[in-house]
Amino acid sequence: MSTSPETRSTTVEIQLSEEEKQTLETAAASRSLSLSEYLREIALIAAKEETIQPQSTLLSEGEWEIFLSLLEGPTEINDNNF
């Protein structure tokens, strides 16, 4: 996950209370990281986890019935695709 400083070209600013900043600095120090390194690391991990979470779709009762009928119904073979 390490990126060389030369390839970084964007800055992100966040607003924190002093207490929040102190909490983050303490966590960063416990891992021998600067605050910036720590925030970048945990933000990237969280973002990657967000993007791999399975997505769900909520169907109405009518949509569910259509979905089931498509699953259970006979399949039609299209000779043009083979």
Side-chain angles (χ1 to χ4, degrees):
M1 177 164 319
S2 178
T3 305
S4 68
E6 298 82 37
T7 62
R8 297 185 199 122
S9 62
T10 302
T11 300
V12 176
E13 293 184 34
I14 61 172
Q15 299 285 321
L16 300 171
S17 69
E18 283 299 321
E19 183 179 337
E20 290 169 330
K21 183 179 179 188
Q22 183 60 50
T23 299
L24 292 170
E25 287 175 332
T26 300
S30 73
R31 296 181 57 194
S32 300
L33 297 172
S34 69
L35 180 57
S36 180
E37 291 168 326
Y38 178 75
L39 291 174
R40 183 175 45 258
E41 184 176 302
I42 63 170
L44 288 170
I45 290 169
K48 288 176 183 178
E49 288 177 0
E50 284 278 325
T51 60
I52 61 170
Q53 294 298 319
Q55 300 294 318
S56 61
T57 302
L58 183 61
L59 301 176
S60 68
E61 189 172 330
E63 292 167 328
W64 178 249
E65 294 299 324
I66 292 169
F67 177 74
L68 285 180
S69 71
L70 292 171
L71 287 177
E72 296 169 348
T75 58
E76 295 180 21
I77 296 176
N78 184 344
D79 291 329
N80 295 329
N81 292 332
F82 295 102

